[in-house]
Amino acid sequence: MAAFLFSRFLQSAVLLVIVSIIGFLVLYLMPGGPLSQYALDPGMTQEDIARITEQLGLNRPVHVQYLDWIWGLVQGDWGTSFRDGSPVTQVIARHVPATLLLMGSSTVIAVAIGTWIGIRGATHRYSGFDYIATVGAMIALSIPTFWFGLIGIYVFALRLDWLPAGNMYTIGDGSVLNYLHHLILPSIVLALVHIAIWSRFMRTATLDAISQDFVKTARAKGVSERRVVMKHVVGNALLPMITLAGVQVPSLLTGALVTETVFTWPGMGRLFLDSLGYSDYPVVMGLLMFSALLTIVANLIADITVALVDPRIRLA
């Protein structure tokens, strides 16, 4: 187990370094550069831009800039925002809770509904429900998230006036119910694609578990079908789903970026787009590294959980 953990931590560290290098080079090669916002100011002279470039250290070779940035990152100094001079860690910390709330709620919805659809589709194979679930999953996977968001706003906010069209809460009303009221529509929109993915994987895993010999033995002993499914099939089918939960984190972050933009949700996704628009590269790199770290940690936890639950993987 110790060797397994060491191997996973080493792979995670190497992956973080690779992500940081690629992200840094992509931003460095982007047209305009981090001073593009200053260049739009008619009162800014070339001498002013040169002075700011030197103050920010942008006139140094790219490898020197990267090494200086990564060393500060290791020490806990993620840089300073070009936009307002605030530390990057503080800027990100203000938006993390909103994104985690949205991702967490959508994950709970996706896991609960997707698991039920997958199990029922597998136990009622080729039934009307199975066909409807398959077609629904294909539709959810084929249509962009922002389209679902716009349709949801039009139907439930503008036409029916059941739910708010955006924002995280109503100004002047900080109650829990108000937060939940604003959370319903974006979390459902973000969960739709993941319900489709989870249900398809769960259906496949359940069918694979049903075909195992221990299930046939339980049926031969006269165990009721409900008990066979709940005790023997579901438990074994959920093992690969633990890994899927970790793999879905990047998809959740990407979907959150789109969902937060559509619903003006004050999370990391909206911050990322705003920072790109302002060429606030320290915040962009900070968000990139935080997202990569979150993804790696989620996958690491999933791998460790599977290894603890399944002795076959741990012993291998």
Side-chain angles (χ1 to χ4, degrees):
M1 191 64 180
F4 173 81
L5 292 176
F6 178 77
S7 173
R8 286 293 187 267
F9 279 119
L10 185 60
Q11 292 174 14
S12 301
V14 173
L15 185 58
L16 276 175
V17 172
I18 294 174
V19 169
S20 67
I21 293 174
I22 294 176
F24 198 91
L25 287 177
V26 168
L27 289 180
Y28 181 81
L29 296 173
M30 283 181 63
L35 300 181
S36 57
Q37 294 296 324
Y38 294 103
L40 298 176
D41 187 350
M44 189 70 65
T45 64
Q46 289 297 325
E47 290 78 11
D48 294 331
I49 294 179
R51 176 175 50 82
I52 295 174
T53 301
E54 185 174 356
Q55 288 178 348
L56 297 177
L58 300 176
N59 56 347
R60 298 174 298 169
V62 61
H63 68 278
V64 176
Q65 294 183 44
Y66 171 78
L67 291 175
D68 184 59
W69 171 78
I70 198 68
W71 178 244
L73 190 74
V74 172
Q75 294 179 312
D77 180 12
W78 289 36
T80 304
S81 171
F82 290 164
R83 187 175 178 182
D84 58 7
S86 301
V88 171
T89 51
Q90 293 184 10
V91 175
I92 296 176
R94 289 197 295 263
H95 294 78
V96 167
T99 296
L100 293 182
L101 176 63
L102 181 60
M103 289 175 57
S105 59
S106 64
T107 300
V108 170
I109 295 172
V111 169
I113 299 178
T115 300
W116 177 77
I117 293 175
I119 294 173
R120 183 170 178 80
T123 55
H124 297 75
R125 195 177 183 184
Y126 303 134
S127 64
F129 177 87
D130 191 26
Y131 284 119
I132 293 174
T134 301
V135 172
M138 294 302 103
I139 293 175
L141 291 171
S142 302
I143 298 177
T145 303
F146 74 85
W147 189 86
F148 283 122
L150 294 176
I151 293 299
I153 290 174
Y154 176 76
V155 174
F156 296 104
L158 299 181
R159 302 293 296 180
L160 300 177
D161 196 26
W162 288 355
L163 299 169
N167 294 318
M168 190 174 177
Y169 59 90
T170 303
I171 297 177
D173 185 357
S175 64
V176 175
L177 289 178
N178 186 257
Y179 276 93
L180 293 176
H181 193 213
H182 284 76
L183 181 63
I184 293 173
L185 194 54
S187 60
I188 291 177
V189 168
L190 181 57
L192 285 175
V193 173
H194 301 284
I195 290 174
I197 296 173
W198 197 273
S199 64
R200 293 293 87 196
F201 274 93
M202 191 65 196
R203 179 182 183 274
T204 302
T206 303
L207 287 174
D208 182 64
I210 288 175
S211 65
Q212 298 299 315
D213 291 337
F214 61 85
V215 174
K216 297 176 182 177
T217 302
R219 286 173 172 167
K221 290 181 177 180
V223 180
S224 66
E225 187 66 20
R226 179 180 179 83
R227 185 173 177 81
V228 168
V229 172
M230 298 305 297
K231 185 177 180 179
H232 300 283
V233 174
V234 174
N236 286 274
L238 285 176
L239 282 176
M241 309 310 292
I242 298 175
T243 304
L244 177 64
V247 173
Q248 278 196 307
V249 171
S251 178
L252 280 169
L253 288 170
T254 305
L257 187 149
V258 177
T259 306
E260 289 174 3
T261 302
V262 172
F263 290 97
T264 60
W265 190 266
M268 293 193 303
R270 190 178 174 194
L271 174 64
F272 182 82
L273 291 180
D274 289 345
S275 299
L276 276 179
Y278 280 94
S279 299
D280 196 349
Y281 288 4
V283 175
V284 173
M285 280 303 301
L287 287 169
L288 177 64
M289 293 304 296
F290 183 82
S291 301
L293 184 62
L294 187 65
T295 302
I296 290 173
V297 169
N299 281 275
L300 188 62
I301 293 174
D303 288 342
I304 294 174
T305 303
V306 171
L308 292 174
V309 173
D310 192 345
R312 296 171 298 179
I313 297 177
R314 183 171 66 252
L315 294 176

